[in-house]
Amino acid sequence: MQKIKLTSCLLVLVLFAGSFFLGRFAAQVAPAISSAIHSDAEGNWGLSFQEEGKPPVADASCDELKKYGAYYMENTQEKVMYLTFDCGYENGNTPAILDALKKHKVKAAFFVVGNYLSTSPDLVKRMVEEGHIVGNHSYHHPDMSGMGKEEFAKELGELETLYEQTVGSPMAKYYRPPQGKYSNNSLQIAKDMGYQTIFWSLAYVDWNQDSQPTHEEAFDKLLKRAHPGAVVLLHNTSKTNGEILDELLTKWEEMGYTFKSLEELPTA
């Protein structure tokens, strides 16, 4: 009987010691995991939509980005939105998008690449004529997060030159990182070049040409994720976006939202 009691005591001691050391190990590993997540987040802009009608949890805060002249939303309770479109190429949807914006008197920002400027100069000119911002999405759309200053400046500079040759006026100093990839260094270089880096706080999977969302799927995402101060990212290549934008703007307006240009984004 005593032998059984002794064995039980030893077993309890072993389990206690194991739990103690496992706890210490977890406490030491947790900060390392947290650090790794932060490091990964720095390279790829991402959002976590957690509560309907509220801003998402982003990879960086407004304050962290602001020191680099970068923004992903306006920190406000006012029901205002900023519409932006990424333009990699033209496949027939942009005219309908521009028509809807004109109908609702909304000024948006179109982030273009070299290919778009070269192949669709008339549409770019229309954007400018109708009061929209045409921003810099780089010339070749590479991952610019690890570039040095010279290479980075070349990507933006080549697009600036082509834009001025095409439109006849300097390009607005708004930059959107290709593929959403960034680093503190790339944000600083963009700032040094006089650019404001514009991320986003409202988006959905609209870029896959082989799997376009239905109108219902698009409305479900874009209405539930709407929030005060949102910078909206849509792709001009989305057939769904071209088809629903007029109705989408109406629905957002019915929810009480108004729309501003990036020029009105508070930067102080």
Side-chain angles (χ1 to χ4, degrees):
M1 190 69 174
Q2 289 181 341
K3 185 176 181 181
I4 292 173
K5 287 184 178 180
L6 181 60
T7 302
S8 299
C9 290
L10 287 172
L11 181 59
V12 170
L13 286 172
V14 169
L15 289 173
F16 176 80
S19 299
F20 174 78
F21 287 111
L22 182 61
R24 290 197 62 183
F25 174 76
Q28 291 172 347
V29 170
I33 293 174
S34 175
S35 177
I37 290 172
H38 179 77
S39 176
D40 290 343
E42 186 185 59
N44 300 277
W45 183 252
L47 303 168
S48 175
F49 297 95
Q50 300 183 354
E51 188 176 351
E52 186 175 327
K54 300 292 185 182
V57 176
D59 289 333
S61 70
C62 291
D63 289 340
E64 288 171 330
L65 291 175
K66 189 176 289 188
K67 62 186 178 184
Y68 296 105
Y71 305 86
Y72 77 98
M73 59 170 282
E74 178 186 351
N75 189 8
T76 180
Q77 296 301 313
E78 180 186 358
K79 281 193 167 184
V80 60
M81 286 184 179
Y82 301 83
L83 293 191
T84 72
F85 296 84
D86 281 5
C87 304
Y89 59 93
E90 180 54 41
N91 61 350
N93 300 303
T94 307
I97 289 171
L98 288 168
D99 289 344
L101 293 171
K102 186 174 184 179
K103 177 180 176 180
H104 290 263
K105 299 180 180 178
V106 174
K107 305 304 181 188
F110 292 85
F111 288 92
V112 303
V113 296
N115 171 70
Y116 195 89
L117 261 174
S118 299
T119 60
S120 308
D122 290 341
L123 282 173
V124 174
K125 290 176 183 177
R126 181 183 169 185
M127 293 169 187
V128 175
E129 289 168 0
E130 295 183 358
H132 303 296
I133 289 171
V134 177
N136 201 321
H137 201 30
S138 80
Y139 195 97
H140 298 98
H141 201 262
D143 176 357
M144 297 174 65
S145 61
M147 286 185 179
K149 186 173 183 178
E150 184 175 344
E151 188 180 9
F152 189 101
K154 187 172 185 289
E155 271 294 328
L156 297 193
E158 286 183 354
L159 192 72
E160 289 175 353
T161 299
L162 180 58
Y163 177 87
E164 190 158 357
Q165 291 171 349
T166 303
V167 177
S169 59
M171 193 170 208
K173 292 285 190 175
Y174 296 94
Y175 162 66
R176 171 157 286 156
Q179 308 167 47
K181 295 182 180 296
Y182 73 103
S183 64
N184 291 342
N185 184 59
S186 66
L187 293 178
Q188 185 63 52
I189 296 173
K191 182 182 179 183
D192 292 343
M193 292 180 66
Y195 276 90
Q196 291 179 23
T197 298
I198 306 295
F199 291 103
W200 58 90
S201 65
L202 199 169
Y204 78 120
V205 180
D206 63 347
W207 60 86
N208 188 343
Q209 295 301 295
D210 298 324
S211 182
Q212 277 290 288
T214 66
H215 291 194
E216 292 74 19
E217 290 169 339
F219 285 133
D220 183 62
K221 292 288 195 300
L222 294 170
L223 298 181
K224 287 181 178 178
R225 293 176 177 180
H227 64 87
V231 173
V232 183
L233 164 61
L234 299 173
H235 287 80
N236 75 309
T237 52
S238 167
K239 183 172 183 289
T240 297
N241 288 343
E243 293 171 346
I244 71 168
L245 187 60
D246 181 13
E247 186 177 356
L248 176 63
L249 292 174
T250 297
K251 288 180 180 294
W252 274 335
E253 288 165 347
E254 290 173 349
M255 292 168 65
Y257 283 94
T258 58
F259 305 92
K260 291 184 179 181
S261 168
L262 288 180
E263 295 169 329
E264 302 174 84
L265 183 66
T267 57

